């Protein structure tokens, strides 16, 4: 997905207050990318609900179970914020974000608790690295 590296760089800059430092080994390594689709009933619509990218920051290449900070980029344009208002701990006015802002929310601000996030994300990365799951 063409936006993955750009999204990772934006998140990196927001988290660490600087651009990726290419002269530092493993400063940022994009490991996985994924999309969540808006569903109508049990069928996905042709609209993206959220987009995710997993990247390592100074994680040794042999560390198979690194700590995880999960931040979801939540789309509000297609459902007028319905998903955001269902799963976030605060109200979202979709009009405030549509066309002007990105809604990026760490798991701690969501009703869905991420007790399995670390394991699930690390398994997804390992599957992609081993070729069990193709990149999106």
């Amino acid at each position: 997905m063409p936006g993955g590296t750009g999204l990772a760089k934006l998140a990196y800059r927001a988290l660490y207050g600087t651009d990726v430092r290419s002269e530092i080994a493993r400063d940022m390594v994009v490991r996985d990318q994924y999309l969540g689709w808006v569903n109508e009933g049990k069928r996905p619509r042709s609209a993206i609900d959220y987009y995710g990218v997993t990247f390592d920051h100074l994680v040794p290449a042999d560390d198979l179970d690194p700590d995880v900070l999960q931040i979801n980029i939540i789309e509000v344009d297609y459902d007028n914020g319905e998903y955001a208002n269902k799963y976030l701990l605060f109200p979202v006015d979709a009009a405030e974000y549509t066309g002007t802002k990105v809604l990026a929310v760490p798991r701690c601000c969501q009703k869905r608790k991420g007790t399995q996030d670390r394991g699930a994300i690390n398994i997804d990365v390992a599957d992609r690295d081993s070729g069990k799951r193709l990149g999106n």
Side-chain angles (χ1 to χ4, degrees), residues 10 15 26 32 59 61 82-83 94 97 100 124 127 132 134-135:
L10 286 172
L15 290 169
R26 304 196 58 77
D32 194 16
V59 174
E82 181 180 333
Y83 178 91
Y97 292 91
T100 60
D124 282 350
D127 285 351
K132 290 181 183 175
L134 298 176

Side-chain angles (χ1 to χ4, degrees), residues 3-125:
T5 300
L7 176 58
K9 287 179 179 179
L10 286 172
Y12 181 101
R13 188 177 313 126
L15 290 169
Y16 304 113
T18 186
D19 289 329
V20 176
R21 300 160 300 176
S22 58
E23 70 278 8
I24 297 177
R26 304 196 58 77
D27 193 41
M28 186 190 85
V29 179
V30 174
R31 301 297 304 276
D32 194 16
Q33 301 173 57
Y34 48 93
L35 297 173
W37 298 93
V38 174
N39 290 316
E40 284 182 0
K42 294 184 179 187
R43 297 189 57 158
R45 287 180 31 196
S46 61
I48 298 169
D49 204 15
Y50 61 88
Y51 179 82
V53 62
T54 299
F55 68 90
D56 291 347
H57 170 60
L58 302 175
V59 174
D62 61 349
D63 185 345
L64 301 178
D65 191 24
D67 288 329
V68 171
L69 167 63
Q70 181 166 351
I71 300 173
N72 294 105
I73 307 298
I74 300 176
E75 175 63 60
V76 297
D77 295 356
Y78 296 108
D79 67 355
N80 199 31
E82 181 180 333
Y83 178 91
N85 283 304
K86 180 177 180 180
Y87 289 108
L88 299 183
L89 296 175
F90 55 89
V92 174
D93 178 2
E96 185 179 335
Y97 292 91
T98 301
T100 60
K101 296 179 184 177
V102 173
L103 179 57
V105 185
R107 183 66 96 190
C108 61
C109 296
Q110 300 177 37
K111 293 177 185 173
R112 302 176 314 148
K113 295 300 177 191
T115 57
Q116 303 300 316
D117 286 347
R118 178 178 175 167
I121 290 169
N122 290 332
I123 287 169
D124 282 350
V125 167

